[in-house]
Amino acid sequence: QLEEHKAAQMEIALAMTEKISTSFKKGLIGDNLKKVVKTIEENTDFSDIIITDTSSRIICNHISCSGVPDVAIKELKKKVESEDLLSFIEFSHDGIHFIAAPLIDEMKIAGFILLGKKQSPSIYDYKFAQGLGKLFSVQLTIGNLEYRSSLLKEAEIKVLQTQINPHFLFNSLSVVSSLCRTSPEKARTMIDRLADFYRKNLRINSQFVSVQEEIEHIEAYLDIIKTRYASKIRILYDVDKLLDCYLPPLSLQPLVENSIKHGLLPKKEGGLISIRAKRDKERNRVKIEVEDDGKGFDPSAAKPDDSNLIGLSNVRKRLQNCFGDDLTWQLETKPGMGTRITIIIPVLSNV
């Protein structure tokens, strides 16, 4: 019978852990904490469930007593700091027996969870309280890691924004200056497209943009390039409407810039750059191609610090970090035969 009781307790604990972990996925805040407290309440016989921060401020609770005395929190904090991070204490208040366990984040106390009932706690209650404290602590750590990851992605986008070559702006303005004398209408159009390009670039502040937005950003960029190199650059678009498909911002523009800079401009006669984006509805995938009939290169003969390879590698890493094994990346190139980059990504309709 004892073994059956243990098995039943284990089954309840596992079910609770799954529910609590699901609630924690959106962070250790507000409504999520209420769901956690409700889960504990529904699956245990604790009458009082309290979560506090380090200053004893109650963040979330389900209590039948008049609250928690500050002295109890101070005692637990002192014990944790002087002994070990897995300490817990017992105390009674208003006829309720409490077990209190610390919540640890990066080896520091972030708060406490207190579980109380009228009866004296059992050995299972002690183990449950300690296990719950550990689970909360792990989720706090995961939440912090995810937050830092999002900050890194935001910083990465800002770095990419600042890497838009300043020479591109200066050269474009030089062309505008020249056109003002020879073709004011073209100068006005180029200024508009230049403004569009930089406005879109500066407005990018999210981790994802639609494929359609990325294509529009490329169009603004290529319109400027076309004005500067009218006789050398031809452009072909073959793009489906992909407003509900997403990828990291500034994923395609560097590929197009690469094709222009390393593929077409080195050729005296220039050439054609083709941009295709097609949706495979059956596989729920998007296939994107950036292809040029330019100079091409031999990847095996390229040096590691070749700016061509570095640019392509950076884009691939960003996409890999986002899509993982769902990303297909293919580079086809040959000296004198041009370059084609094929990207196949899953449709992310909710980001």
Side-chain angles (χ1 to χ4, degrees):
Q1 195 170 1
L2 182 61
E3 291 301 319
E4 288 179 4
H5 180 69
K6 284 182 179 179
Q9 290 284 332
M10 181 66 74
E11 190 174 338
I12 291 170
L14 288 172
M16 283 183 60
T17 299
E18 185 177 351
K19 287 181 181 178
I20 288 170
S21 296
T22 301
S23 297
F24 270 142
K25 281 182 180 177
K26 292 185 179 179
L28 204 67
I29 53 173
D31 290 341
N32 298 324
L33 283 179
K34 288 178 183 176
K35 288 178 184 177
V36 169
V37 168
K38 186 174 175 60
T39 300
I40 298 170
E41 176 198 352
E42 290 174 346
N43 291 277
T44 69
D45 58 355
F46 289 110
S47 60
D48 295 70
I49 305 152
I50 304 169
I51 300 168
T52 79
D53 61 14
T54 53
S55 62
S56 307
R57 181 175 61 92
I58 292 177
I59 300 171
C60 192
N61 68 81
H62 172 268
I63 54 177
S64 59
C65 66
S66 61
V68 180
D70 285 348
V71 65
I73 297 298
K74 288 176 181 175
E75 183 185 338
L76 175 57
K77 192 173 180 181
K78 185 177 178 182
K79 185 176 182 183
V80 172
E81 289 172 345
S82 62
E83 293 184 24
D84 67 76
L85 297 175
L86 299 178
S87 299
F88 65 92
I89 66 164
E90 304 171 62
F91 65 92
S92 295
H93 180 64
D94 278 1
I96 303 294
H97 298 283
F98 279 98
I99 307 169
L103 308 179
I104 307 300
D105 181 25
E106 296 185 343
M107 304 303 287
K108 294 179 182 177
I109 304 170
F112 306 92
I113 181 162
L114 299 88
L115 305 174
K117 55 167 52 175
K118 289 184 178 179
Q119 309 95 321
S120 294
S122 68
I123 184 67
Y124 299 110
D125 293 331
Y126 294 129
K127 288 183 180 294
F128 177 76
Q130 256 190 325
L132 201 58
K134 288 179 185 177
L135 177 61
F136 270 55
S137 299
V138 167
Q139 293 297 332
L140 277 170
T141 301
I142 291 172
N144 269 330
L145 288 173
E146 289 179 347
Y147 176 65
R148 286 175 184 170
S149 176
S150 71
L151 288 180
L152 282 172
K153 286 176 181 175
E154 287 175 17
E156 185 181 62
I157 291 168
K158 292 188 185 301
V159 168
L160 285 168
Q161 288 171 329
T162 61
Q163 282 179 345
I164 299 293
N165 197 330
H167 294 296
F168 170 71
L169 174 60
F170 300 147
N171 291 338
S172 298
L173 291 175
S174 177
V175 173
V176 169
S177 177
S178 176
L179 287 173
C180 283
R181 294 188 300 272
T182 60
S183 180
E185 192 61 38
K186 282 187 178 180
R188 189 179 299 113
T189 301
M190 187 168 179
I191 289 171
D192 288 342
R193 295 309 273 158
L194 200 58
D196 283 346
F197 176 74
Y198 277 95
R199 191 181 298 116
K200 284 185 171 71
N201 187 58
L202 293 172
R203 280 181 179 173
I204 294 169
N205 55 15
S206 62
Q207 292 181 20
F208 291 94
V209 295
S210 71
V211 172
Q212 197 69 35
E213 288 175 297
E214 191 78 349
I215 296 293
E216 287 171 5
H217 195 221
I218 288 170
E219 286 175 348
Y221 172 77
L222 285 176
D223 280 353
I224 298 163
I225 292 292
K226 190 82 166 62
T227 305
R228 286 177 60 193
Y229 304 104
S231 61
K232 296 193 71 171
I233 307 295
R234 289 174 290 120
I235 306 163
L236 173 67
Y237 294 103
D238 185 8
V239 179
D240 288 346
K241 289 287 183 185
L242 298 168
L243 291 169
D244 61 340
C245 305
Y246 295 84
L247 77 172
L250 298 171
S251 293
L252 304 183
Q253 190 271 339
L255 302 182
V256 172
E257 185 177 354
N258 227 53
S259 282
I260 300 291
K261 183 178 178 182
H262 298 284
L264 301 184
L265 291 184
K267 287 181 66 176
K268 186 177 180 180
E269 69 277 18
L272 171 72
I273 180 167
S274 303
I275 296 149
R276 308 180 191 93
K278 297 290 181 180
R279 182 166 182 169
D280 183 340
K281 293 183 179 178
E282 289 184 9
R283 296 175 59 218
N284 210 27
R285 294 281 189 274
V286 175
K287 182 179 181 180
I288 301 167
E289 290 182 336
V290 176
E291 182 177 7
D292 66 73
D293 61 358
K295 191 178 177 183
F297 66 100
D298 181 357
S300 63
K303 297 178 181 178
D305 60 350
D306 188 318
S307 60
N308 189 7
L309 283 184
I310 291 172
L312 298 179
S313 177
N314 287 342
V315 172
R316 182 176 183 176
K317 283 177 184 174
R318 292 183 66 228
L319 292 171
Q320 191 80 51
N321 288 338
C322 176
F323 298 105
D325 293 338
D326 287 329
L327 170 71
T328 298
W329 171 282
Q330 187 176 14
L331 168 64
E332 300 169 89
T333 184
K334 192 175 180 182
M337 300 295 289
T339 301
R340 178 168 60 198
I341 297 166
T342 303
I343 299 166
I344 302 175
I345 56 175
V347 172
L348 297 179
S349 54
N350 293 310
V351 294

